Amino acid sequence: MSILQLHSSISVCPKCSLHKTRIKPVLPEGNPGSGIMMIAQSPGKVENQTGRMFTGPSGKIFNELLKHAGISRNDFYLTNLIKCMLIKSRDPSREQWYACTPWLIKEIEQIKPKVIVPLGFQATKFVLTYLGIPRPPGKSYRKLFGNFIKTEKYVILPLRHPTALLFNPDKRKVMEENYKKLKELML
Ligand code: SF4
């Protein structure tokens, strides 16, 4: 299955109840040949209406962070852990997680990234679990943000999700510094 066929299947997926509130499918975007895959959590209300990733308030922050880091959306492949909007932005349920993450696994198999950048707690948890990397002590995934993890096959750079700045504006400086590390991965 090509990446376009995969996207087409995702756009009509009925595998969990979240398809009932899907207005426009929010498909992955960017450059599948870049070797870098960035994984956000899920579309929000605005994205569900526009059908494009990061077009709501967190998208504005995302664009600012990328600009500050000197990179553009075409420098990587951008996708979501959960492909349809999570109601009231809740964390995904167990059922939603197990229904939707096989799509992401198919994307990883198809894209074969060298670098994986999970944004936020849930995407970081997925990437570490999928790659069999032991959980940090106390399951404190947040401590991993901004730090490179190197395995035989991948470089992983977990970053805070842009949404974090909506609630904790004081984190801007540290997030700007961490997002700048993306540039190192492109040199
Ligand atoms: S969230 Fe994922 S599994 Fe659920 S309907 Fe959407 S694409 Fe399918």
Side-chain angles (χ1 to χ4, degrees), residues 37-41 53 77-83 104 108 116-120 123-124 126-127 161:
M37 177 186 257
M38 193 181 285
I39 307 170
Q41 179 163 313
M53 288 189 70
Y77 176 85
L78 177 62
T79 191
N80 273 312
L81 173 72
I82 304 295
K83 310 297 188 203
L104 184 52
I108 294 172
I116 303 182
V117 183
L119 301 181
T124 301
F126 166 81
V127 171
H161 198 280

Side-chain angles (χ1 to χ4, degrees), residues 69-87:
I71 54 177
S72 83
R73 291 193 188 208
N74 285 329
D75 290 327
F76 49 85
Y77 176 85
L78 177 62
T79 191
N80 273 312
L81 173 72
I82 304 295
K83 310 297 188 203
C84 301
M85 180 184 68
L86 286 161
I87 311 297

Side-chain angles (χ1 to χ4, degrees), residues 11-146:
S11 70
V12 292
C13 171
K15 287 199 295 170
C16 81
S17 60
L18 294 177
H19 82 276
K20 293 181 193 157
T21 43
R22 181 172 58 212
I23 298 172
K24 282 191 183 168
V26 182
L27 293 174
E29 57 179 73
N31 181 355
S34 63
I36 303 175
M37 177 186 257
M38 193 181 285
I39 307 170
Q41 179 163 313
S42 68
K45 219 171 164 180
V46 177
E47 288 79 7
N48 192 34
Q49 287 165 346
T50 61
R52 276 208 65 204
M53 288 189 70
F54 282 126
T55 43
S58 57
K60 187 173 171 283
I61 293 169
F62 183 62
N63 293 338
E64 287 167 4
L65 290 166
L66 293 187
K67 194 174 172 195
H68 192 265
I71 54 177
S72 83
R73 291 193 188 208
N74 285 329
D75 290 327
F76 49 85
Y77 176 85
L78 177 62
T79 191
N80 273 312
L81 173 72
I82 304 295
K83 310 297 188 203
C84 301
M85 180 184 68
L86 286 161
I87 311 297
K88 294 187 182 160
S89 304
R90 287 201 186 106
D91 285 342
S93 68
R94 211 177 150 76
E95 289 72 26
Q96 290 157 354
W97 178 284
Y98 285 113
C100 205
T101 53
W103 288 125
L104 184 52
I105 292 170
K106 282 195 171 83
E107 285 173 281
I108 294 172
E109 289 168 355
Q110 184 66 240
I111 301 276
K112 298 185 179 48
K114 292 188 175 63
V115 176
I116 303 182
V117 183
L119 301 181
F121 169 83
Q122 296 287 343
T124 301
K125 181 175 150 194
F126 166 81
V127 171
L128 265 65
T129 308
Y130 172 65
L131 297 179
I133 298 170
R135 293 172 175 195
K139 296 186 201 169
S140 183
Y141 293 101
R142 289 177 179 88
K143 285 194 181 145
L144 302 175
F145 294 151

